[in-house]
C-alpha cells in the first residue's frame, strides 16, 4: 500500500511539473516573404499534432499551443521553418523562397510536370532580373540562357529588333521552316514582341520530339512556351518598373573619309591615272579640311548612324485578390528613338489576367491583351536606305542650310544618304488584341475538363511617302533634280485567328506506387488574312498624307488579297511512374491542315519517352553527395508545312496582268503556280538520350543531352526553269536531312553565406547533312552557297586562294586564271579535277582556274554556342554578368566597305585598301591586300573574303542596390531597387568593319546603357 502511494505521488508530481513547464498560451504573428509581403494562406501547425491554422489576408495568424511545443511554418514555394514556442506570445516569421522547389514544376505542352518526373528534353529559362534589361523583344532574353537555343539579334532597328531563334540548329531546308513555334498562355502562334518582360512568369523550351509532339504539325523546329503572371490570393501588390537610357552602335565600319586618298585609290581601281585629276586631288589635299563645304571629307556611316538615341520604358502592374477572384494587370509604355533620323518606335500595351472560383467544381477566367505601336523609318524598310550609304563617296556635302549636296566633282552619280533619309518616310501603326475565356469543371477531384476560346486580331495601317528631291553642288551652286515627282502609298492588313481548345485530364494513384495521368484534347484554329493597298503620284502638299492628295489620276493603283487556312487537331498524353523511380510518357497528335488536299491533309505524330530516377534506387541511397540522378531517353515525330503557301496543293489564278486584244488593254488573269495534289506532311523524327543530376544538395546541377534526327519529305519548290508562262514551279516532298548534336547545362548555386553567388553555363553543338534529293538532283547552287548531298545545309561554295603573286616567275608557273594576273593579284588554287586512271578519284589538276575549282566549305553556322550567366549578392548589392559567344563560324564579308568601290566609280571603301599592293604607291611585296583593279580577278568570291566570326560578348552587365526594408517602409514601399544596366558593352572578335552578329547592309547592332528603378508598394 505504501509503495502504491509513493508511485501515485510520483505521477502527480510529474503531472504538476509538466503543467508548470507546458502551459497553454496563445501565439500570434505575421508571416511574410523576404520582401515584406504578407503570405496569406501559409500553414502553421503544431509539430506532431493535427492542430493547425492558416494565415489570413494580411499574413496574420493566431494559434493556441503549449510553451514546450514546436510550430511548423510552411508555404508553397518557400522553405519550411520550425520554431520552439517557449514563452513567446508573438512569433513573426520571414519565409525564404525555396528555389529548388520552384524549379521542380516545369511548364510543358498543355500542362505542368515536376522536373523530377520529366522524361523529355525541356529547359527553363532563368528570368532573374529580366525585367530590368532593356530588351524590346523577349527573344533577346533567350541568348545564352538555354543550351541548344541560339538567339541572334542582327539588327537593333526600333520596332524591328527581333531575334532569329534556332532550337538545335537547322533540321530542314529553308528559313521559315526552322523557326520555333511560340505559345503564349496556351495560345499558339504568338509573337515574342507581344510580351513585356515584366509580365513573364516562366519560359520553357521544348527541344525534342517527345516534348513537342503535343503541338504536332508546327513543332518541328521546337516550341517556346511563355506563361504570364497571374494573381495570387492575398493583399493587392502594386509594382513599377522603369528605365531610361541611350543606344549607340556597337561598331561602325572604318572607312576612307579622306577624299584625296579616296580619289587616288579610285584611279587605281578604274586603271585611269588621269581621273580624278592630279589637280583636283591636290586641291582636296591642300585644303586639309579647312573648307568642308567645298572640299568635304565625309564618313557617311558616322554621319548617318554615329550618334546616340534615347529610349525609355515604364511598366505599371497590380496583382492580388481572394480565393474567389484573382487578378494580374499591367500597362507598359516603350519609347525608342533610332540612330538614323526619322526612325523610331513607340508602343503602349496592357495585359489583364483574371481567375474566378465560381463554385467548388467550376473555375473560370478571362485574359485580355492589347497594344498599339507606331514604327517610323525612312522608306518602307531601312534596307532601302543602307545601299545609299554603301554607294556614295566622301566628297559629297551631307547638308547645308537645308540644301543637300551631291558629287559635282567626279560625276559619280553617288547618292546623298542624308537626303534619302529625309525625303522618304514610312509609318506603320499596328493594333493587336487577344481575348481568351476559359473554364475548368471538376467532375471528380481527379477528373476535370478545361475549355477555352481565343480570338486574336491584328490590324496594320502603313503610309509610304516619297518626296521630290533636288541636290546641290556647293562649289559652283549647280543643281541636279534627283526625283521629279512624289508618290504616296497607303496599305492595310488584318490577321484574325480564332482558336478553340478542349482538354480532359484524369489522374490516379493505384496502391500508392502506380501514378497515372491521362490527357485527351481537341483543338481547332482558323486563320484569316486581308490586305489592301492604293497609291498615287503628284501630291500638291507633301505634308498631307491622304489618298485624295495625289493629283495624277493616271498613276493610281490599287490592290488587295484575302487568304485563309485552317487546322484541326486531336491529341493525347499518358504519364506513368512507379514509385517515382521509373517513368514513362507517351503522346500523340493528329493534325489536319487545309494546305493539303482532303485525302492527304491528316498527319499522325507520336512520341515515347522513358526515365529512371537512379538516385531513388537502393544502391545509391548511401551516396550522400548525389542529390538527384536521372537517365532519360525519347523518340518522337513532329510535322512541318510552314514553307507551303495556303494553296500550294491546288492551282491558283492571279489577277493584275493585263493583255492586249484588238489594240486595247484588257484585264488579265494568269496561272500563277502549278499545283501538286500529292503533297504530304514534312516529318521530323528525333531520338535523344539525356542525363540530369544534382550534387551536394543541389548546389551543383546539370543536364547533358545527345540527339539525332531525320527530316523526311522536305517541302521545297522543284528547281526547274520557267515553262508555259507559269512563274512558280510546284512544291514537292523532295529532300531528306539528318541532324545531330549535344547540349550541356551546368549550374552552381551557393546561398548559405552573406555573399550569395550563382553561375550557369550553357554549351551546345549541332550539325546536319543532306541525305538525298528525291527529284533526281544532286545539288542546288545559289551564289556562293550550295546544298549538296553528303554536305551540310547552306555550305559555302567558293575558290581557295594561296596568297598573292610576288614575282613574275610565280605567275608564269601557275595555272591559267580567268583574268591575266599581275604581281599583287590573288593566287587561286588549282584543285584536283582530273581523274587520270579512271578510278573515280580526282588526282591531278587541269592547269586552268574555272568553276570546277570551287570547293565546298563548312556553312557559316557556329560549331559551338555558349553562355555564362553569373550573379553575386551581398548586403543589398547585386551584380549580374552574362557572357555569350560562338566558336567555329566562318563566312564572307564581301559587301562594302570590305569590298572597295562596289558601284561603278563609287562606293564606300575600307581603310585596309590603303595598303593594297601598287607598283609605285605601295610596292610592298609583303602586303596581304591584293591589287586594286576592277579588271582583275581579285574580287570574285573566294576564301580571301572569309573571316572568323567567332566572338565573345558581354551581353549583360548589371549592378543594382536594394534599399534596406526599414528605409523602404518609411517611404511606404515594401521593396525598392535601383540599378544601372549595360547591354552589348564589349565584344571580342576579328570581323572587319561589322559586328559579327550584324554583318552587311543592315541597321547596326547597338550597345545600350540604362538607369532603372523597381518599386513594390
Amino acid at each position: 500500500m505504501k509503495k502504491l502511494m509513493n508511485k501515485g505521488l510520483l505521477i502527480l508530481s510529474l503531472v504538476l511539473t509538466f503543467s508548470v513547464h507546458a502551459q497553454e498560451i496563445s501565439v500570434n504573428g505575421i508571416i511574410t516573404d523576404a520582401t515584406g509581403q504578407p503570405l496569406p494562406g501559409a500553414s502553421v501547425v503544431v509539430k506532431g499534432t493535427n492542430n493547425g491554422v492558416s494565415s489570413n489576408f494580411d499574413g496574420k495568424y493566431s494559434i493556441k499551443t503549449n510553451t514546450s511545443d514546436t510550430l511548423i511554418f510552411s508555404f508553397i514555394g518557400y522553405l519550411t521553418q520550425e520554431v520552439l514556442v517557449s514563452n513567446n506570445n508573438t512569433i513573426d516569421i520571414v519565409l525564404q523562397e525555396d528555389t529548388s522547389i520552384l524549379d521542380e514544376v516545369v511548364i510543358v505542352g498543355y500542362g505542368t510536370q515536376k522536373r523530377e518526373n520529366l522524361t523529355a528534353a525541356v529547359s527553363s529559362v532563368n528570368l532573374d532580373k529580366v525585367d530590368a534589361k532593356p530588351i524590346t523583344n523577349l527573344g533577346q532574353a533567350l541568348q545564352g540562357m538555354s543550351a541548344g537555343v541560339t538567339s541572334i539579334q542582327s539588327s537593333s532597328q526600333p520596332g524591328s529588333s527581333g531575334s532569329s531563334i534556332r532550337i538545335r540548329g537547322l533540321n530542314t531546308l529553308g528559313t521559315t521552316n526552322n523557326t520555333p513555334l511560340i505559345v503564349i498562355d496556351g495560345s499558339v502562334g504568338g509573337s515574342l514582341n507581344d510580351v513585356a518582360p515584366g509580365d513573364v512568369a516562366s519560359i520553357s523550351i521544348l527541344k525534342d520530339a517527345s516534348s513537342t509532339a503535343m503541338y504536332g504539325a508546327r513543332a518541328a523546329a521546337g516550341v517556346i512556351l511563355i506563361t504570364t503572371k497571374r494573381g495570387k490570393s492575398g493583399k493587392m501588390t502594386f509594382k513599377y518598373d522603369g528605365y531610361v537610357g541611350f543606344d549607340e552602335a556597337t561598331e561602325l565600319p572604318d572607312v576612307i573619309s579622306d577624299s584625296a586618298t579616296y580619289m587616288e585609290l579610285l584611279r587605281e581601281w578604274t586603271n585611269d591615272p588621269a581621273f580624278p585629276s592630279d589637280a583636283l586631288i591636290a586641291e582636296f589635299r591642300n585644303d586639309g579640311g579647312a573648307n568642308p563645304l567645298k572640299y568635304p571629307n565625309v564618313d557617311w556611316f558616322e554621319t548617318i548612324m554615329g550618334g546616340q538615341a534615347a529610349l525609355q520604358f515604364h511598366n505599371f502592374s497590380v496583382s492580388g485578390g481572394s480565393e474567389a477572384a484573382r487578378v494580374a494587370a499591367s500597362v507598359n509604355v516603350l519609347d525608342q528613338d533610332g540612330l538614323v533620323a526619322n526612325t523610331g518606335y513607340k508602343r503602349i500595351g496592357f495585359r489583364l489576367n483574371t481567375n474566378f472560383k465560381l463554385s467548388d467544381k467550376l473555375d473560370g477566367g478571362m485574359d485580355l491583351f492589347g497594344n498599339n505601336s507606331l514604327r517610323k523609318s525612312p522608306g518602307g524598310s531601312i534596307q532601302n536606305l543602307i545601299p545609299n550609304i554603301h554607294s556614295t563617296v566622301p566628297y559629297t556635302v551631307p547638308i547645308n542650310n537645308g540644301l543637300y549636296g551631291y558629287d559635282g566633282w567626279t560625276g559619280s552619280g553617288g547618292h546623298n544618304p542624308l537626303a534619302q533619309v529625309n525625303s522618304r518616310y514610312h509609318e506603320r501603326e499596328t493594333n493587336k488584341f487577344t481575348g481568351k475565356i476559359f473554364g475548368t469543371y471538376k467532375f471528380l477531384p481527379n477528373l476535370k475538363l478545361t475549355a477555352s476560346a481565343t480570338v486574336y486580331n491584328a490590324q496594320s495601317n502603313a503610309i509610304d511617302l516619297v518626296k521630290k528631291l533636288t541636290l546641290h553642288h556647293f562649289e559652283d551652286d549647280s543643281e541636279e533634280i534627283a526625283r521629279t515627282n512624289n508618290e504616296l502609298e497607303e496599305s492595310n492588313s488584318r490577321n484574325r485567328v480564332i482558336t478553340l481548345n478542349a482538354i480532359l485530364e484524369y489522374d490516379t494513384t493505384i496502391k500508392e506506387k502506380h501514378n497515372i495521368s491521362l490527357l485527351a484534347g481537341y483543338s481547332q484554329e482558323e486563320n484569316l488574312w486581308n490586305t489592301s493597298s492604293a497609291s498615287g503620284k503628284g501630291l500638291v502638299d507633301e505634308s498631307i498624307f491622304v489618298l485624295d492628295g495625289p493629283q495624277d489620276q493616271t498613276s493610281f493603283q490599287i490592290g488587295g488579297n484575302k487568304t485563309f487556312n485552317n487546322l484541326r487537331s486531336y491529341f493525347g498524353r499518358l504519364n506513368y511512374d512507379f514509385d517515382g523511380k521509373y517513368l514513362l510518357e507517351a503522346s500523340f497528335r493528329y493534325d489536319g491542315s487545309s494546305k493539303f488536299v482532303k485525302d492527304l491533309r491528316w498527319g499522325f505524330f507520336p512520341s515515347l519517352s522513358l526515365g529512371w530516377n537512379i538516385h531513388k534506387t537502393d544502391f545509391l541511397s548511401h551516396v550522400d553527395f548525389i542529390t538527384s540522378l536521372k537517365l532519360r531517353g525519347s523518340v518522337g515525330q513532329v510535322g512541318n508545312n510552314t514553307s507551303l503557301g495556303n494553296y500550294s496543293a491546288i492551282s491558283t489564278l492571279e489577277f493584275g496582268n493585263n493583255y492586249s486584244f484588238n489594240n486595247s488593254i484588257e484585264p488579265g488573269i494568269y496561272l500563277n503556280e502549278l499545283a501538286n495534289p500529292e503533297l504530304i506532311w514534312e516529318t521530323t523524327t528525333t531520338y535523344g538520350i539525356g542525363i540530369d543530376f544534382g550534387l551536394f544538395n543541389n548546389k551543383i546541377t546539370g543536364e547533358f543531352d545527345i540527339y539525332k534526327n531525320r527530316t523526311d519529305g522536305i517541302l521545297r519548290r522543284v528547281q526547274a526553269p520557267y515553262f508555259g508562262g507559269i512563274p512558280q514551279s510546284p512544291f514537292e516532298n523532295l529532300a531528306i536531312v539528318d541532324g545531330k548534336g549535344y547540349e550541356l547545362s551546368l549550374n552552381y548555386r551557393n546561398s548559405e553565406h552573406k555573399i550569395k553567388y550563382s553561375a550557369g553555363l550553357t554549351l551546345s553543338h549541332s550539325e546536319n547533312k543532306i541525305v538525298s534529293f528525291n527529284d533526281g538532283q544532286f545539288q542546288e547552287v545559289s551564289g556562293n552557297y550550295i546544298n549538296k548531298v553528303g554536305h551540310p545545309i547552306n555550305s559555302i561554295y567558293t575558290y581557295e586562294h594561296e596568297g598573292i603573286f610576288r614575282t613574275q616567275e610565280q605567275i608564269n608557273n601557275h595555272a591559267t586564271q580567268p583574268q591575266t594576273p599581275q604581281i599583287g593579284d590573288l593566287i587561286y588554287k588549282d584543285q584536283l579535277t582530273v581523274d587520270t586512271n579512271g578510278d573515280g578519284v580526282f588526282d591531278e589538276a587541269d592547269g586552268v582556274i574555272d568553276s570546277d575549282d570551287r570547293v565546298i566549305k563548312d556553312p557559316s553556322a557556329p560549331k559551338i554556342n555558349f553562355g555564362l550567366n553569373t550573379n553575386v549578392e551581398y548586403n543589398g548589392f547585386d551584380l549580374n554578368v552574362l557572357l555569350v559567344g560562338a566558336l567555329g563560324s566562318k563566312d564572307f564579308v564581301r559587301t562594302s566597305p570590305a569590298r572597295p568601290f562596289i558601284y561603278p566609280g563609287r562606293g564606300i571603301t575600307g581603310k585596309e585598301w590603303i595598303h593594297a599592293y601598287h607598283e609605285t604607291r605601295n610596292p610592298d611585296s609583303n602586303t596581304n591586300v591584293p591589287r586594286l583593279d576592277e579588271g582583275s580577278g581579285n574580287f570574285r568570291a573566294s576564301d580571301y573574303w572569309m573571316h572568323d566570326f567567332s566572338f565573345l560578348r558581354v551581353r549583360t552587365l548589371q549592378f543594382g542596390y536594394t534599399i534596406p526594408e526599414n528605409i523602404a517602409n518609411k517611404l511606404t514601399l515594401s521593396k525598392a531597387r535601383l540599378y544601372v544596366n549595360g547591354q552589348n558593352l564589349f565584344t571580342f572578335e576579328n570581323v572587319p568593319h561589322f559586328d559579327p552578329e550584324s554583318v552587311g547592309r543592315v541597321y547596326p547592332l547597338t550597345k545600350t546603357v540604362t538607369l532603372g528603378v523597381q518599386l513594390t508598394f
Side-chain angles (χ1 to χ4, degrees):
M1 181 70 181
K2 185 176 182 181
K3 290 182 178 180
L4 183 62
M5 180 178 285
N6 288 337
K7 289 182 178 180
L9 291 173
L10 179 60
I11 294 172
L12 180 61
S13 65
L14 289 173
V15 171
L16 291 173
T17 301
F18 181 79
S19 300
V20 170
H21 293 283
Q23 295 177 348
E24 185 178 77
I25 63 173
S26 180
V27 178
N28 305 287
I30 300 176
I31 305 172
T32 61
D33 63 13
T35 67
Q37 289 297 307
L39 293 177
S43 174
V44 185
V45 178
V46 178
K47 188 173 182 178
T49 73
N50 293 323
N51 179 20
V53 296
S54 296
S55 58
N56 66 12
F57 186 80
D58 296 316
K60 297 179 180 179
Y61 74 94
S62 178
I63 187 171
K64 291 188 176 183
T65 184
N66 294 313
T67 55
S68 60
D69 286 338
T70 295
L71 296 181
I72 301 175
F73 298 85
S74 63
F75 192 71
I76 295 175
Y78 291 79
L79 293 171
T80 298
Q81 291 190 33
E82 295 186 8
V83 179
L84 180 66
V85 174
S86 188
N87 292 316
N88 298 311
N89 292 100
T90 301
I91 300 178
D92 294 332
I93 293 294
V94 178
L95 294 180
Q96 302 295 325
E97 284 188 347
D98 185 351
T99 55
S100 64
I101 291 179
L102 292 175
D103 287 344
E104 282 185 359
V105 178
V106 179
I107 306 297
V108 296
Y110 300 101
T112 61
Q113 289 185 19
K114 288 185 177 180
R115 179 169 292 281
E116 184 180 54
N117 295 336
L118 199 62
T119 56
V122 179
S123 63
S124 299
V125 177
N126 181 4
L127 296 175
D128 186 36
K129 300 181 180 65
V130 68
D131 51 353
K133 298 178 181 179
I135 53 178
T136 56
N137 183 291
L138 195 59
Q140 299 165 21
L142 302 180
Q143 190 173 35
M145 300 299 291
S146 177
V149 179
T150 58
S151 176
I152 299 175
Q153 183 187 357
S154 60
S155 169
S156 292
Q157 181 185 354
S160 301
S161 56
S163 299
S164 173
I165 301 173
R166 296 287 182 265
I167 298 176
R168 293 186 166 181
L170 303 179
N171 58 28
T172 186
L173 302 172
T175 302
T176 57
N177 297 17
N178 289 286
T179 302
L181 179 69
I182 309 298
V183 181
I184 303 173
D185 288 333
S187 298
V188 174
S191 168
L192 294 177
N193 196 44
D194 291 340
V195 186
D199 288 342
V200 179
S202 69
I203 300 178
S204 291
I205 313 292
L206 312 186
K207 297 184 288 189
D208 65 349
S210 175
S211 59
T212 61
M214 289 292 286
Y215 292 101
R218 291 170 293 180
V223 180
I224 299 175
L225 299 180
I226 300 170
T227 303
T228 58
K229 294 176 180 177
R230 310 201 71 83
K232 298 179 180 179
S233 298
K235 183 179 179 180
M236 298 297 289
T237 301
F238 298 86
K239 292 185 178 181
Y240 166 76
D241 301 316
Y243 57 77
V244 295
F246 65 89
D247 289 330
E248 65 178 41
T250 57
E251 183 175 359
L252 290 176
D254 190 14
V255 302
I256 298 173
S257 58
D258 181 76
S259 295
T261 302
Y262 184 93
M263 290 179 183
E264 287 179 339
L265 297 181
L266 177 61
R267 296 200 303 190
E268 295 179 21
W269 174 257
T270 60
N271 211 10
D272 184 353
F275 185 81
S277 67
D278 289 337
L280 180 60
I281 293 174
E283 284 186 51
F284 271 86
R285 196 173 299 283
N286 293 335
D287 178 74
N291 185 3
L293 194 61
K294 184 175 181 180
Y295 302 108
N297 299 280
V298 181
D299 182 337
W300 279 103
F301 280 101
E302 190 66 34
T303 299
I304 299 297
M305 303 176 174
Q308 295 180 340
L311 79 159
Q312 58 178 314
F313 177 78
H314 308 279
N315 187 72
F316 304 86
S317 64
V318 58
S319 65
S322 63
E323 287 193 11
R326 294 175 284 122
V327 64
S330 68
V331 176
N332 56 80
V333 178
L334 171 67
D335 189 351
Q336 183 181 15
D337 294 332
L339 299 177
V340 180
N342 293 326
T343 60
Y345 183 66
K346 294 182 179 181
R347 185 187 69 208
I348 180 169
F350 75 91
R351 187 174 295 275
L352 174 65
N353 293 345
T354 61
N355 293 83
F356 304 100
K357 189 173 184 60
L358 304 175
S359 70
D360 291 338
K361 291 189 174 184
L362 181 61
D363 295 331
M366 179 178 65
D367 296 345
L368 300 176
F369 157 79
N371 68 32
N372 169 269
S373 62
L374 182 67
R375 188 187 71 183
K376 297 188 299 181
S377 65
S381 169
I382 197 73
Q383 309 310 323
N384 295 332
L385 166 69
I386 303 299
N388 288 306
I389 301 177
H390 286 262
S391 68
T392 193
V393 293
Y395 34 88
T396 296
V397 176
I399 191 170
N400 180 58
N401 292 328
L403 302 177
Y404 300 104
Y406 79 98
D407 171 24
W409 291 111
T410 65
S412 65
H415 297 282
N416 183 323
L418 188 60
Q420 298 298 322
V421 167
N422 292 319
S423 65
R424 301 175 68 97
Y425 181 76
H426 170 82
E427 178 182 284
R428 177 175 294 275
E429 182 178 11
T430 302
N431 293 289
K432 294 183 179 181
F433 175 81
T434 300
K436 176 182 178 181
I437 56 173
F438 59 91
T440 299
Y441 186 80
K442 294 182 179 179
F443 299 96
L444 299 170
N446 58 346
L447 176 64
K448 64 180 180 180
L449 174 66
T450 300
S452 65
T454 305
V455 176
Y456 167 81
N457 191 77
Q459 291 181 285
S460 288
N461 176 263
I463 293 175
D464 286 275
L465 174 66
V466 179
K467 300 179 180 180
K468 296 178 181 179
L469 180 61
T470 301
L471 301 177
H472 294 259
H473 182 50
F474 296 101
E475 193 275 336
D476 59 8
D477 204 29
S478 60
E479 289 188 350
E480 178 181 282
I481 307 300
R483 196 179 299 129
T484 60
N485 205 348
N486 51 35
E487 183 176 3
L488 176 68
E489 179 180 4
E490 183 174 342
S491 59
N492 297 276
S493 66
R494 180 191 178 195
N495 177 212
R496 187 193 69 198
V497 184
I498 299 176
T499 306
L500 303 176
N501 284 318
I503 300 172
L504 184 66
E505 297 175 82
Y506 173 79
D507 60 83
T508 187
T509 299
I510 301 174
K511 295 184 179 180
E512 298 183 351
K513 291 189 176 183
H514 300 274
N515 301 301
I516 301 173
S517 295
L518 295 171
L519 180 149
Y522 169 82
S523 178
Q524 179 172 302
E525 184 177 305
E526 177 187 278
N527 289 270
L528 175 66
W529 292 267
N530 282 319
T531 61
S532 62
S533 63
S535 65
K537 297 179 179 180
L539 280 83
V540 176
D541 187 339
E542 292 181 341
S543 65
I544 300 177
F545 303 161
V546 291
L547 280 176
D548 61 356
Q551 300 302 304
D552 183 357
Q553 301 296 321
T554 63
S555 68
F556 275 99
Q557 294 186 358
I558 59 174
N561 198 4
K562 181 177 182 179
T563 61
F564 71 91
N565 71 58
N566 297 327
L567 184 72
R568 181 172 295 173
S569 309
Y570 304 90
F571 51 89
R573 180 171 59 214
L574 163 68
N575 289 95
Y576 168 79
D577 75 79
F578 175 75
D579 201 22
K581 296 180 182 178
Y582 308 105
L583 315 169
L584 178 146
E585 179 179 304
S587 66
F588 77 91
R589 184 156 176 137
Y590 189 50
D591 281 323
S593 171
S594 63
K595 290 185 177 183
F596 301 101
V597 297
K598 184 176 181 180
D599 293 336
L600 298 175
R601 65 181 38 157
W602 290 93
F604 181 74
F605 308 105
S607 74
L608 175 68
S609 58
L610 302 172
W612 178 23
N613 278 319
I614 307 173
H615 65 282
K616 292 191 174 184
T617 56
D618 293 338
F619 66 85
L620 282 182
S621 60
H622 300 295
V623 183
D624 295 335
F625 72 91
I626 297 179
T627 310
S628 63
L629 182 62
K630 178 172 61 180
L631 180 67
R632 48 185 168 78
S634 66
V635 59
Q637 286 187 334
V638 286
N640 198 336
N641 68 352
T642 309
S643 62
L644 283 183
N646 290 327
Y647 311 109
S648 295
I650 59 175
S651 295
T652 56
L653 300 175
E654 187 155 324
F655 297 88
N657 274 40
N658 298 332
Y659 290 82
S660 174
F661 291 102
N662 298 324
N663 296 322
S664 66
I665 302 299
E666 302 293 341
I669 302 174
Y670 68 98
L671 184 63
N672 180 52
E673 178 180 0
L674 281 178
N676 183 355
E678 298 180 356
L679 293 175
I680 60 173
W681 288 96
E682 178 179 315
T683 303
T684 299
T685 304
T686 301
Y687 306 87
I689 297 176
I691 186 169
D692 305 336
F693 59 87
L695 308 175
F696 306 106
N697 198 28
N698 283 335
K699 283 187 177 180
I700 299 175
T701 59
E703 301 174 9
F704 180 73
D705 284 88
I706 57 175
Y707 62 88
K708 184 177 181 180
N709 57 53
R710 166 163 288 195
T711 302
D712 199 353
I714 293 176
L715 292 162
R716 194 165 174 81
R717 291 193 185 276
V718 176
Q719 299 297 306
Y722 292 157
F723 56 92
I726 302 173
Q728 298 189 82
S729 57
F731 277 92
E732 282 192 11
N733 299 96
L734 58 73
I736 299 174
V737 170
D738 281 350
K740 61 182 179 180
Y742 61 82
E743 301 160 355
L744 174 66
S745 176
L746 287 175
N747 298 282
Y748 177 78
R749 181 178 65 237
N750 191 330
S751 57
E752 299 176 356
H753 308 285
K754 287 186 176 181
I755 299 179
K756 300 178 181 179
Y757 49 92
S758 64
L761 171 70
T762 63
L763 184 148
S764 59
H765 164 79
S766 65
E767 58 185 82
N768 59 69
K769 180 178 68 174
I770 298 173
V771 177
S772 69
F773 288 110
N774 296 339
D775 60 352
Q777 296 193 70
F778 188 62
Q779 65 185 34
E780 298 175 353
V781 179
S782 176
N784 303 317
Y785 299 90
I786 186 172
N787 288 326
K788 184 174 182 178
V789 172
H791 294 271
I793 297 171
N794 293 332
S795 294
I796 293 172
Y797 192 41
T798 190
Y799 295 91
E800 290 184 320
H801 87 291
E802 299 179 299
I804 294 176
F805 287 115
R806 312 291 182 182
T807 66
Q808 186 61 43
E809 183 180 3
Q810 281 182 293
I811 297 174
N812 296 338
N813 293 329
H814 189 63
T816 301
Q817 299 197 165
Q819 289 81 17
T820 302
Q822 299 181 28
I823 295 174
D825 286 346
L826 292 178
I827 305 172
Y828 294 113
K829 184 176 180 179
D830 191 12
Q831 305 289 343
L832 302 178
T833 58
V834 178
D835 177 10
T836 59
N837 55 16
D839 63 354
V841 178
F842 295 136
D843 52 18
E844 186 175 293
D846 63 2
V848 177
I849 304 299
D850 55 23
S851 60
D852 291 339
D853 290 292
R854 289 180 294 177
V855 296
I856 297 176
K857 294 180 174 291
D858 288 340
S860 60
K863 302 292 188 297
I864 298 290
N865 289 284
F866 63 89
L868 178 62
N869 188 36
T870 58
N871 290 279
V872 180
E873 297 181 14
Y874 174 72
N875 201 28
F877 293 95
D878 61 84
L879 175 68
N880 171 239
V881 181
L882 173 61
L883 305 178
V884 299
L887 300 173
S889 171
K890 285 190 174 184
D891 204 352
F892 292 104
V893 182
R894 291 188 67 236
T895 187
S896 60
R899 184 174 177 179
F901 308 106
I902 201 166
Y903 295 88
R906 54 190 166 92
I908 294 293
T909 297
K911 287 183 177 178
E912 67 270 22
W913 291 101
I914 295 175
H915 306 289
Y917 177 85
H918 188 264
E919 58 186 359
T920 57
R921 182 186 57 80
N922 183 35
D924 180 9
S925 61
N926 293 318
T927 182
N928 292 318
V929 184
R931 189 171 59 94
L932 272 169
D933 185 343
E934 63 181 339
S936 72
N938 295 331
F939 303 95
R940 68 172 57 209
S942 72
D943 61 358
Y944 173 80
W945 303 95
M946 293 179 64
H947 297 272
D948 187 352
F949 276 50
S950 300
F951 70 93
L952 172 65
R953 190 193 303 280
V954 182
R955 175 65 173 165
T956 300
L957 179 60
Q958 185 178 129
F959 181 71
Y961 177 67
T962 301
I963 296 174
E965 183 179 344
N966 60 335
I967 298 178
N969 291 340
K970 292 179 181 179
L971 300 173
T972 68
L973 299 171
S974 59
K975 182 179 180 180
R977 178 176 178 266
L978 308 174
Y979 64 88
V980 58
N981 187 92
Q983 297 289 111
N984 302 329
L985 291 183
F986 310 103
T987 305
F988 305 94
E989 44 86 15
N990 287 308
V991 179
H993 300 296
F994 298 102
D995 188 290
E997 290 188 289
S998 181
V999 174
R1001 301 180 179 187
V1002 295
Y1003 188 101
L1005 201 63
T1006 59
K1007 61 181 70 174
T1008 307
V1009 176
T1010 54
L1011 295 173
V1013 60
Q1014 297 173 308
L1015 306 176
T1016 303
F1017 300 88

